[in-house]
Amino acid sequence: MLGNMNAVCDLLTKDYNFDHKFTLTTPSDAGLGLTAMGVKKDQLFIGDISTQYRSGKTTVDVKVDTDYNVSTTITVNELVAGVRTSFSFRIPDQKSGKLDLQYLYDRAAINSSIVLTPIPLLELAAAIGSKELTLGTEVGFDSASASFTEYNSGIGFNKHDFSAALILADKGGTLKASYVQGVNPVTGAAVAADMIHRFNTYGNSFTIGSCHALNPLITIKTRFNNSGKAAVLCQHEWRPQSFLTLSAEYNPKALNAPSRGGLASSIWVSCGLRLFLEEGGRGEGENHDRYIIIKGTFGCKNGTV
């Protein structure tokens, strides 16, 4: 079920971007990575700097944003066989502490979350099934009011060339259906649809999209929804792991609003570093690779970049 939702999200939303954005990432073989990100929306600029450190089974993520909030997540894998544990908190928010426990088995998974406040919030999610059929549910409970904050359930079906999912969300108020169909595995052509029905308003909405690789280096994606919005994306891998992406969106119902367009670049740079270690008066050279990922996004309105 999660695999289907991720596939639909990748086809319908991934890489579509109409804001000014810049991302710089420097991973390291030593286990320490650094990421800086900035986004400009109209006249507002927001950004953050995050680091990730890995050592054995432990991963520590720290992020600092432009509002001086510091978010930290500590994750430990296999503390007990099949159990993943993570603890997260944000400074200066004293009520942001959260403890997550995840247990994975061959055909089952259970995830529980506890918000660490004097009156905690509890969340529990469970899934069971096989590679083809999956059943899942999630429940949220507020111990202060002794009421459920959420309860969702769903079923997913997966085959080698297609997958489908049906989810009852928003406390039974919304029904979501998604479908992904592979058309040509050689060119990567695929189509996807996402449909939503809201019982309280009897409203329906849908989004359909497609993906096709013109050649191993150029990919075209399109999407269209029930409100008339149409978007197209063209992505070119001009060098290994480096991409140039053009995207545009048009809304025929918003005549006073200009069409949106964006230009995104993703550059992977490999730098070699030679270190010399002295031993007995002689130097020995060792090669160490460092990798830098640079991503930039520029938005345009009315043809002005």
Side-chain angles (χ1 to χ4, degrees):
M1 183 171 58
L2 292 178
N4 172 272
M5 297 305 296
N6 291 334
V8 173
C9 183
D10 286 348
L11 198 152
L12 296 180
T13 64
K14 185 179 179 181
D15 296 325
Y16 285 99
N17 194 3
F18 309 106
D19 296 315
H20 299 69
K21 183 177 181 181
F22 181 82
T23 304
L24 171 66
T25 304
T26 59
S28 171
D29 294 336
L32 179 63
L34 175 67
T35 300
M37 186 274 293
V39 178
K40 182 182 179 182
K41 296 184 178 181
D42 297 327
Q43 301 301 319
L44 179 64
F45 179 84
I46 58 176
D48 59 62
I49 298 177
S50 59
T51 62
Q52 183 182 83
Y53 176 73
R54 295 183 179 181
S55 178
K57 299 179 180 180
T58 304
T59 303
V60 180
D61 295 275
V62 179
K63 178 186 292 186
V64 182
D65 61 27
T66 49
D67 293 328
Y68 305 103
N69 295 310
V70 181
S71 303
T72 304
T73 301
I74 303 173
T75 304
V76 180
N77 291 313
E78 297 293 332
L79 184 62
V80 179
V83 177
R84 178 182 180 182
T85 305
S86 65
F87 172 65
S88 61
F89 60 92
R90 186 170 64 178
I91 300 174
D93 188 356
Q94 300 178 355
K95 299 181 180 181
S96 61
K98 187 176 182 181
L99 178 65
D100 292 276
L101 297 175
Q102 185 181 71
Y103 175 72
L104 299 176
Y105 190 63
D106 291 339
R107 296 190 176 183
I110 299 175
N111 186 81
S112 62
S113 301
I114 303 175
V115 179
L116 303 178
T117 59
I119 304 177
L121 299 174
L122 308 178
E123 297 177 354
L124 178 66
I128 186 171
S130 61
K131 293 182 178 180
E132 293 187 351
L133 184 65
T134 306
L135 299 173
T137 185
E138 60 180 357
V139 177
F141 183 76
D142 185 355
S143 59
S145 60
S147 61
F148 290 99
T149 58
E150 64 175 350
Y151 43 86
N152 309 315
S153 61
I155 181 172
F157 184 72
N158 300 280
K159 297 292 286 186
H160 71 282
D161 60 342
F162 76 91
S163 60
L166 190 65
I167 298 176
L168 187 63
D170 300 331
K171 300 181 181 180
T174 302
L175 183 64
K176 300 180 180 180
S178 62
Y179 181 82
V180 179
Q181 172 72 59
V183 178
N184 190 332
V186 177
T187 62
V191 293
D194 186 36
M195 293 161 283
I196 300 176
H197 173 74
R198 294 176 174 84
F199 295 102
N200 56 347
T201 61
Y202 299 100
N204 298 305
S205 61
F206 69 86
T207 303
I208 58 176
S210 65
C211 177
H212 177 72
L214 299 180
N215 56 52
L217 301 179
I218 299 178
T219 301
I220 301 293
K221 295 170 63 177
T222 61
R223 73 180 183 194
F224 178 82
N225 65 17
N226 60 292
S227 64
K229 285 186 179 181
V232 61
L233 178 149
C234 179
Q235 187 174 75
H236 174 52
E237 187 177 8
W238 55 277
R239 56 172 294 176
Q241 302 187 60
S242 298
F243 299 92
L244 181 66
T245 305
L246 295 170
S247 57
E249 183 182 60
Y250 174 68
N251 184 5
K253 294 184 178 180
L255 299 179
N256 296 326
S259 301
R260 299 190 301 169
L263 170 64
S265 63
S266 175
I267 305 173
W268 181 286
V269 181
S270 175
C271 304
L273 176 63
R274 182 175 294 274
L275 300 178
F276 294 92
L277 305 176
E278 292 188 358
E279 182 177 355
R282 296 181 179 181
E284 296 181 2
E286 294 183 359
N287 287 326
H288 298 269
D289 290 332
R290 294 293 303 275
Y291 299 95
I292 299 176
I293 305 172
I294 301 177
K295 294 183 179 180
T297 301
F298 307 89
C300 64
K301 293 184 177 180
N302 291 332
T304 303
V305 179

